[in-house]
Each structure stands twice: as structure tokens, then as C-alpha cells.
Amino acid sequence: MGTTTTLEEAARRELSGFGGELIGPGDAGYDEARSVYNAMIDRRPGLIARCTSTADVAAAIGFAREHGVLLAVRGGGHNGGGLGICDDGVVIDLSPMREIHVDAAAHTVRAAGGCTWREVDAATHEVGQATPCGIIGTTGVGGLTLGGGIGNISRKHGLTIDSLLEAEMVLADGSVVTANEHTHSDLHWAIRGGGGNFGVVTSFLFRTHPVSTVVAGPTFWSLEDAPAVMRHYREFLPAAPRELNGWFAFLTVPPVDMFPAELHGRKVCGVVWTHTLPDRAAADMAPMLEVATPLLHGAGEMPFTGIQGVFDPLYQKGLQWYWRADFVRDLPDAAIERHVEFAHTLPSGHSTMHMYPIDGAVHDVGETDTPFSYRDVTWAEVIVGVDPDPANAEPITRWTKDYFDATHPYSAGGAYVNFMMDEGQERVRATYRGNYDRLARIKAAYDSDNLFRVNQNIQPAG
């Protein structure tokens, strides 16, 4: 490529058979095409390749490799650190690839790499089934899965990767492979938690589980009751039946019709429930409701798709986000004290702290069975400073970092990669622990030049 030739111009010349859309800085839709979920991320790629097929993906990979530029891969665009976009390089945008096929008899669903979980949930719900996934329906299937996949039914059905049977992938050399337990089994192991380090997944095949009507929704308590609620919660939930999932949160009650007006804008602690057996839900939740009088108990029967999409209107694309995360084994009183301290200083209506349970079925899988090694902890904690106004980026970032610094000493180490910003190799290694070296060897076998490095990067061995 000549010094005066842009990536966009080179791509239009060299990718004549490309079936999707090539978008460059000179195109009218460029700014919209480069925007991602976290508006704190503002990067300007030289080319966005919206792919409609596996062949398009292979062509875009080959183009980036031949020109020696950064390559980012984007599905839903939700990555907290903005790792689905890069400056100056090529972005592979999978969003046009949205095919979904449910095989109710086989209890499987196949989803293309650009699908969102809202779409997959809707398709599987039609046959009374579901695959474990996250809590925001607009999240991309690819990014959530490759990082592990924590959500509302993890205690009963495990992580998303525990239901990943197979993946079609395009590798760094442009070849297309199928990774499952029989073919490219090393790759199949690596992508179940190892992130986007090994290639571009164009199709996922998941196992589904019988999930249809659930009892779900929040219980809110006063912040004054938070110490007692957290102390009870830390013992109650790990001992609860696996059908009951409940993630803990500090939040500001949003001003929406589903909540009483007198609670709007009030800082509270809460648990967001999902119980997969409606007839047992009330009895199983009851001990938590006796700890202190709730301000609201809003759990009720709904389709599983209802709880999966309930937060989508609140957390729409375009907000400012800053993330910090940890794995947590237990909650000593000293940690609870620090949590409550920062709950009282939530810096905006969207800012929050969540603790997602990852016990139950998650613990049935060994720490070396997948790259997701923290199979011995109880929660994945995430602290997020969130606000619609860019002028508030600094205070929400400062609050998040201070909160993290205060509670990190009580953590188990490492963090869920989907909750991490770009935090460096030490944090990546701490997250994969004893699995890192195996990942590095597989990385060297499939991507020795580290073409796929705009991610929580695994450095190739050797």
C-alpha cells in the first residue's frame, strides 16, 4: 500500500469480491459504524468491514494481515474496554450475520457470530428452552461466550461456555475450521473462556436447557439495612437450591413506572432473582425477606425473556462506562463495611455494583477443563461508573477506581475478562492462573504473529 493510499481505498481495490459493506472515514455512515456501546471509547479505524459470510471474514482477515495493521473484531460491541474497535486498523463487524437455528429435539441452538442474546433467547424460548447467557439482551453472543458467560441461570445450568458444543472459526491464516471435542479439540478448549485470541467465530452451537416461565425480579432494601442483608446473603445464596439465582446490587432506583414513585432516585441495596421452578420460588426466597423489611419485593412470574431484557432500556448504547472487576470467594465483615461505604456515594443514577453468583453448576466443571479457572469462587463482582454525560467521565472513573482499590484486598484475585478494561498482562495472567501457559501454546499454534491482539491478550508462547 502506497504512503498516500488509505486502507479504505486499498480495500475497495483489493476486496472486489467482498459481499458485505466496506466503510471508511470518508463515508456518511462512518461515525455511526464506529460507535460502540461504551461511549467513553472514541476510536477511528481505517476500515470497517461489515461481513455477511464466513468468506467475507476470511477476506478481511487476509487484508489486515497483508497490510500489517491492527485488527479488531466486533459482534455486539458491548465490550467494556472497547476492544471491538481500534484506531487506524481494520474492524471486522459481524453484526449482519444473524442466522439462528433451533433444534428443539436435539436441544441445541446454532447462532451466527453477529447475533445478540435477545435474538437467541427469543428463538429458544419458543420451544421452552434456553442457553445460559448474560443479563443484557443487546449483548453480543460472541463476546459474552468467548469470555465465559455469566448470567441469570448460571447456578442451575453453568456458564455459557459449559453449553458450547462447537464453533466454526476463521483463523489468522484465513482457513476455516470446526472446533469441537473431536476436531481441533485444543482450540475448542481455548475458546471456552480464552476470549477472541484464536480466531473469529462465525457460528456457535450451544446446548439448550428446559427454561420457560420463571419467577424473577428485584427485592430492594434500605442502605441502612445493607450490612445485615449482605451478611445474610453471603450464607444464604450458596446454600440455596440451584434453581434459585440472585445477584446482589447497590443501585439508585430508576424513575420508571415499574417502581413506586416514592423510591425513584433512592440509593438501595437489592437482589435480582431468577427462579426456574415457579412453584418453589416463594418458599426458597422467603428467608432473605425476613432479614429486614424490604422497600419492594418485585419478583413475579414472567417468561425467561422478560428478565433477560428488563435492563435493556436503562442501559442503552451511548452511555459513558468505566469498569473494574474481581472474583470473590467470601464476604468478610470488613469487606461489607467498605462496600456499604461506597454504596452511599454512588456518583450517578446508572452507576452500580453487582455480585453475580458463580457457584452451583459452575463448580461442577474443573478449573483446568476450560480456561475459566476460577471454578472455586462464589461471585464475580463488577463495579461500574456509568453516566450519559461525558462531562461526568472523570468522577465516575474516580469512584470506580477508589471502590475497587478499597475492596480488591478481599478478592480472590483475577477477574471475569468480560468485565475488565485494558488492564495489562499481569491482570490477564492473574485471571487465567495455571491455564495461561496452555493458552499461550495454543495461541502460538494458531496465531503465532498475534494478529488477534485487540483483546485481553494471550501472548504466544516461544
Side-chain angles (χ1 to χ4, degrees), residues 122-263:
T124 57
H125 186 71
E126 290 183 4
V127 297
Q129 298 174 20
T131 292
C133 52
I135 69 162
I136 301 291
T138 56
T139 305
V141 167
L144 180 122
T145 300
L146 296 175
I150 297 169
N152 286 318
I153 54 174
S154 293
R155 297 191 72 241
K156 176 62 177 175
H157 295 298
L159 304 175
T160 307
I161 54 173
D162 300 333
S163 292
L164 178 60
L165 301 173
E166 182 176 285
E168 178 190 79
M169 298 181 64
V170 186
L171 304 180
D173 64 2
S175 61
V176 181
V177 301
T178 297
N180 55 38
E181 62 178 4
H182 304 296
T183 64
H184 295 284
S185 58
D186 56 345
L187 196 56
H188 183 236
W189 178 85
I191 63 173
R192 287 180 292 158
N197 278 280
F198 307 96
V200 180
V201 179
T202 51
S203 175
F204 297 86
L205 180 66
F206 298 104
R207 180 186 300 109
T208 59
H209 306 269
V211 179
S212 183
T213 299
V214 298
V215 170
T219 301
F220 296 151
W221 292 269
S222 165
L223 280 187
E224 285 64 41
D225 292 323
V229 171
M230 290 189 82
R231 286 194 296 269
H232 194 77
Y233 172 81
R234 71 186 175 190
E235 307 297 333
F236 165 78
L237 197 74
R242 291 183 175 193
E243 290 80 8
L244 178 62
N245 199 91
W247 47 270
F248 184 89
F250 288 121
L251 71 152
T252 303
V253 179
V256 295
D257 291 342
M258 66 183 296
F259 301 129
E262 62 269 21
L263 294 182

Side-chain angles (χ1 to χ4, degrees), residues 350-432:
H350 289 85
S351 297
T352 186
M353 186 283 291
H354 295 172
M355 299 191 73
Y356 296 99
I358 47 173
D359 59 332
V362 180
H363 287 189
D364 293 343
V365 179
E367 68 178 47
T368 62
D369 291 344
T370 70
F372 192 105
S373 71
Y374 280 88
R375 300 285 184 162
D376 59 341
V377 298
T378 317
W379 294 280
E381 172 192 305
V382 63
I383 304 163
V384 288
V386 191
D387 194 80
D389 189 350
N392 291 329
E394 193 277 331
I396 63 174
T397 299
R398 183 176 64 252
W399 174 84
T400 303
K401 289 181 175 180
D402 289 347
Y403 193 161
F404 173 81
D405 289 344
T407 56
H408 179 66
Y410 305 100
S411 75
Y416 179 38
V417 294
N418 289 344
F419 289 161
M420 291 167 61
M421 302 293 279
D422 187 0
E423 299 174 28
Q425 274 294 296
E426 183 178 343
R427 281 282 278 169
V428 174
R429 285 181 174 273
T431 290
Y432 291 115

Side-chain angles (χ1 to χ4, degrees), residues 254-316:
V256 295
D257 291 342
M258 66 183 296
F259 301 129
E262 62 269 21
L263 294 182
H264 291 178
R266 180 167 176 174
K267 294 181 174 68
V268 299
C269 70
V271 175
V272 179
W273 307 103
T274 300
H275 201 306
T276 58
L277 295 178
D279 60 338
R280 281 176 34 188
D284 287 346
M285 293 177 190
M288 276 300 299
L289 305 183
E290 297 168 359
V291 178
T293 302
L295 300 171
L296 169 79
H297 180 56
E301 282 198 17
M302 65 179 70
F304 179 62
T305 50
I307 188 62
Q308 289 300 100
V310 72
F311 297 102
D312 291 6
L314 181 63
Y315 290 107
Q316 296 186 20

